[in-house]
């Protein structure tokens, strides 16, 4: 068999819809006999029914063989892991031979062998007869098994090659994982049907034979090609109304669920059921940390439930059609879907797009074949609202072939493709990682024109969407709120899809989760595959919590004694929600009450009790919108939206305590060379505290560095900061003055530069052990660009184990992230403060902290630190240097100290791993600054 053929397959049956039929079927999943060979040129005698495979291994189907001890996974983002010489292949081509014996039930006749997904080239034999071959890894294929089936025992043999000419069409950003990774079935079903159901109730269908019934709508025995109008409720992602339909043919009965909905484009606006549609989406690869793309049904359902619970309303199936069960779940639970063809040739961009299959007519049949198989399989899903021609495959004549056939076959859905800026073959204008400024220009219709005025006019009449934006790699993404504000402001903007849903970390015995290079791949893209909104075990990251907040379907605006409730649903009112409010003083609830909100929203009077006249605390009002009753995707009480407003600020001295007469530093009671001031014991030479309220401490020292985030590293800031030497600051003491307190003057600077920070540390003590610290910072020199952080660092004894704080929480927040963090009183262990990013980096910063209390086991001294007015808090059991050096979670080993960072400010996060960096307003520039803190024992 020539693996270097341009043909997509041979011996295959015509593609058809994925359907539920009462026709007999045999599930052929389970343990198969398996043998792996390093090369493709292996005798095919294993296909003989009598071949002795007793010495072979067993391998589950569905599965990928590298995840079961046969070879190893490999990850690349863009690069092909073999020479770019189409259609030729490397000499080493891992080849898996599969055998499965099964017994045919008595009286069985005819049937089709259906493979839902095989990566990348499958050649199939039944009882020694070759049925044919197929490519297109993420697409189904059927072979006619009838003539070769035997009563009793049958033997199915499949040879799977990892590499084939088709591999040039499958250069998606993911692990290379060969094998039979989706279901295998022998079925006697042969029916096909295409149901057309619009939101105004029009219903018809296409089929070679049979009659259609929809009992709930009173439809009986509708004939093919006949259109009727029924009183059906429309399907939307918010109200996913489905009707059970039955197609009856002479040979079988097929059941499917019909959703009545219409997708259109009018005046440059994307509409669903005649209303503007805003896509609040994510890109989803199929992935499981143990199974790769062989994702169990329960995990697919978990994905959809998580999306719904985090206010996601759309998914792009990057970059191939998913398992058909996933689309069933989107129909049932409600998600808008862009269904994407299994096509990407990204690696050709590294060779100037020379010989790109997208523009080579020899590949036309293969590309069209992939499009046809996707459309035919998924055509009955109401959730699918667009067909995508593929991803990052350049431009070329074969796109026209794919688009032309699809428009003729299904004119009801718009076409999507991002890779051609001219949009010559699409119905929407799609981009990746456009900056906020460019998105705003497009929203205004003021984008840069195309050279061709006809194409330019055509594109300006299209809706715009970001098929990828806000790259969710590591800590981040930043800028979500600013993107969403633009999407909501301009009708032309149809929203977008955050890249991406899940970290593709494979379970690893040493690293916990592996990424590119961890299996010794000579060509790989490192941790670029760790770029999801959920961790590999599907724990939501702070980025997903922020996205939930940004995507909220209800907004609140506070006025004098009122709140305006704004319904941001596209298709439903607020009747399914319950609204409640709580008033808190310094994070402690003092009043709770329900809110009566009309279904349409509007202005609601707030029966908020006035704060007590004698109280000095900070009073906040928090309003929540929750589900009033159970929904298929969440239980009653699930929170969809919330907002806060400050009712009363604290009295001026509340956070730091009352002003008292300062006391002087003294040598009495101190060890030699030390001073006592309040509850602190200071080194007389350096002016730094050695003990604080009975605790041995190191510091504080000025801190300008953080362990670079993925965005810092890929955007170049990390390299800039290390070139400046911010990770290796020197600290010089220029003077220690003892008086009514302690004043220390230092210069903090990296070696090999004349840049520096003049820092004045002023310690004062009032009655008791209270210590006030004022840190005045004055930059010296012309600092190039933003700095990572501005704050102080202390090292505390390891016995410090927990912290309670009043500020934003419970999770992390940075200048352009943390929308999910709300003001309140929170508690956590030092270990729980860490965000476990698969690739370790700066994390865990709590923002706008008014005060924090640190403690340990009973008998361990504790202390409280308060800001004037606020500070940022990070605490961890490893240093910044140790965090930066780590490459996997297990590399971080707790030491005997707790490293406490009290920050005045941090640099924003941005999304520069892929996309724009931090917006200018979130840049931290070197400038004169003052940090004020008060330390008290607790």
């Amino acid at each position: 068999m020539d693996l270097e053929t341009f043909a997509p397959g041979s011996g295959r049956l015509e593609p058809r819809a994925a359907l539920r039929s009462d026709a007999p079927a045999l599930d052929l999943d389970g343990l198969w006999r398996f043998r792996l060979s390093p090369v493709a040129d292996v005798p095919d005698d294993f296909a003989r029914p009598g071949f002795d495979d007793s010495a072979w291994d067993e391998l589950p189907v569905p599965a990928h063989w590298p995840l079961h001890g046969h070879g190893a996974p490999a990850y690349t983002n863009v690069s092909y892991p073999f020479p770019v010489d189409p259609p030729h292949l490397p000499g080493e081509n891992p080849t898996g031979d599969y055998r499965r014996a099964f017994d045919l039930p008595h009286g069985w006749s005819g049937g089709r062998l259906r493979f839902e997904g095989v990566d990348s080239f499958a050649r199939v034999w039944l009882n020694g007869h070759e049925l044919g071959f197929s490519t297109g890894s993420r697409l189904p294929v059927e072979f006619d098994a009838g003539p070769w089936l035997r009563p009793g025992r049958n033997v199915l043999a499949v040879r799977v090659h990892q590499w084939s000419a088709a591999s040039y069409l499958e250069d998606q950003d993911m692990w290379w994982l060969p094998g039979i990774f989706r279901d295998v079935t022998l079925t006697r079903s042969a029916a096909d049907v295409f149901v057309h159901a619009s939101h105004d109730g029009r219903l018809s269908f296409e089929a070679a034979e049979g009659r259609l019934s929809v009992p709930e709508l009173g439809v009986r025995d509708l004939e093919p090609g006949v259109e009727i109008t029924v009183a059906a409720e429309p399907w939307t992602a918010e109200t996913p109304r489905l009707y059970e339909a039955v197609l009856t043919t002479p040979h079988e009965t097929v059941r499917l669920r019909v959703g009545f909905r219409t997708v259109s484009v009018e005046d440059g606006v994307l509409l669903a059921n005649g209303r503007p549609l805003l896509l609040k989406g994510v890109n989803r690869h199929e992935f499981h940390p143990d199974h790769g793309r062989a994702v169990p049904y329960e995990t697919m359902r978990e994905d959809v439930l998580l999306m719904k619970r985090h206010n996601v309303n759309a998914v792009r199936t990057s970059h191939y059609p998913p398992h058909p069960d996933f689309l069933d779940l989107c129909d049932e639970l409600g998600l808008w879907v862009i269904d994407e063809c299994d096509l990407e040739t990204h690696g050709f961009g590294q060779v100037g797009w020379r010989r790109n299959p997208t523009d080579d007519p020899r590949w036309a049949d293969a590309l069209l074949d992939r499009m046809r198989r996707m459309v035919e399989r998924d055509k009955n899903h109401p959730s699918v609202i667009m067909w995508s021609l593929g991803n990052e495959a350049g431009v070329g004549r074969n796109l026209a072939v794919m688009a032309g056939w699809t428009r003729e076959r299904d004119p009801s859905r718009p076409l999507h493709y991002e890779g051609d800026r001219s949009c010559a073959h699409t119905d929407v204008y799609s981009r990746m990682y456009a900056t906020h400024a460019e998105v705003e220009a497009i929203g205004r219709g003021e984008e840069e024109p195309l050279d061709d005025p006809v194409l330019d006019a055509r594109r300006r009449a299209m809706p715009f969407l970001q098929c990828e934006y806000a790259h969710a790699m590591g800590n981040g993404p930043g800028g979500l709120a600013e993107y969403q504000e633009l999407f909501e402001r301009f009708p032309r903007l149809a929203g977008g899809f955050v890249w991406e849903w899940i970290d593709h970390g494979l379970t690893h015995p040493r690293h916990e989760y592996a990424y590119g290079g961890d299996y010794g791949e000579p060509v790989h893209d490192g941790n670029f595959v760790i770029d999801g909104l959920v961790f590999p075990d599907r724990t939501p990251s702070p980025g997903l919590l922020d996205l939930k907040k940004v995507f909220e379907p209800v907004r609140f605006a506070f006025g004098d004694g009122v709140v305006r409730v704004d319904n941001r649903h596209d298709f439903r009112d607020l009747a399914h929600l319950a609204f409640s409010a709580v008033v808190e003083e310094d994070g402690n609830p003092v009043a709770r009450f329900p809110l009566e909100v009309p279904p349409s929203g509007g202005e609601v009077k707030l029966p908020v009790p006035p704060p007590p006249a004698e109280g000095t605390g900070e009073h906040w009002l928090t309003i929540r919108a929750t589900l009033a009753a159970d929904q298929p995707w969440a239980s009653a009480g699930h929170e969809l939206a919330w907002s806060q407003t400050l009712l009363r600020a604290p009295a001026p001295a509340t956070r730091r305590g009352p002003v008292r007469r300062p006391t002087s530093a003294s040598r009495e009671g101190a060890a030699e060379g030390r001073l006592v001031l309040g509850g602190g014991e200071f080194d007389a030479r350096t002016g730094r505290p050695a003990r604080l309220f009975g605790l041995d401490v190191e510091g504080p020292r000025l801190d300008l560095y953080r362990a670079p985030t993925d965005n810092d590293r890929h955007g170049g800031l990390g390299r800039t900061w290390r070139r400046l030497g911010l990770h290796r600051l020197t600290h010089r003491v220029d003077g220690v003055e003892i008086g009514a307190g302690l004043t220390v003057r230092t210069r903090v600077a990296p070696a090999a530069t004349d840049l520096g920070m003049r820092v004045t540390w002023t310690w004062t003590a009032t009655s008791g052990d209270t210590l006030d610290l004022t840190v005045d910072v004055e930059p010296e020199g012309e600092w190039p660009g933003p700095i990572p952080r501005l704050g102080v660092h202390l090292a505390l004894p390891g016995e410090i184990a927990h912290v309670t704080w009043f500020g934003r929480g419970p999770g992390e927040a940075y200048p352009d992230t943390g929308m999910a963090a709300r003001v309140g009183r929170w508690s956590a262990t030092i270990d729980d403060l860490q965000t476990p990013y698969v690739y370790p980096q700066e994390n865990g910063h709590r923002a706008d902290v008014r005060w924090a209390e640190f403690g340990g086991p009973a008998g361990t001294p504790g202390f409280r630190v308060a800001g004037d007015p606020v500070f940022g808090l990070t605490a961890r059991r490893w240093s910044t240097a140790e965090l930066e050096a780590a490459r996997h979670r297990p590399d971080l080993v707790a030491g005997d100290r707790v490293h406490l960072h009290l920050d005045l400010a941090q640099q924003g996060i941005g999304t520069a791993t892929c996309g724009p960096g931090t917006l200018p307003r979130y840049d931290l520039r070197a400038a004169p600054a003052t940090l004020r803190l008060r330390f008290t024992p607790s």
Side-chain angles (χ1 to χ4, degrees), residues 391 755 881 937:
N391 181 69
L755 301 175

Side-chain angles (χ1 to χ4, degrees), residues 381-426:
H381 289 284
S383 59
V384 175
I385 60 169
M386 288 188 208
W387 303 117
S388 177
L389 303 180
N391 181 69
E392 292 175 323
V395 297
R397 70 197 79 179
N398 293 334
L399 293 176
V401 174
M402 300 166 72
W405 179 89
T406 307
R407 282 200 174 92
E408 183 176 349
R409 181 67 176 121
D410 179 25
S412 72
R413 291 177 173 100
L415 296 187
H416 168 273
Y417 180 68
E418 178 273 338
D420 183 359
R421 292 280 181 94
S422 77
C423 299
H425 309 296
T426 67

Side-chain angles (χ1 to χ4, degrees), residues 490-520:
F490 297 104
R492 184 188 183 192
L493 304 182
F497 299 82
V498 171
W499 186 269
E500 68 163 299
W501 176 242
I502 189 168
D503 286 342
H504 298 206
L506 289 170
T507 302
H508 193 280
R510 182 160 56 91
H511 299 316
E512 186 175 3
Y513 293 116
Y515 49 75
D518 287 337
Y519 296 99

Side-chain angles (χ1 to χ4, degrees), residues 84 127 198 219 245 275 432 463 465 515 542 585 615 649 670 769 779 781 847 861 895 926 934:
V84 182
N127 295 324
S198 59
V219 177
R275 296 187 185 182
M432 293 181 181
L465 63 86
Y515 49 75
E585 179 182 9
D769 289 338
R934 169 165 285 182

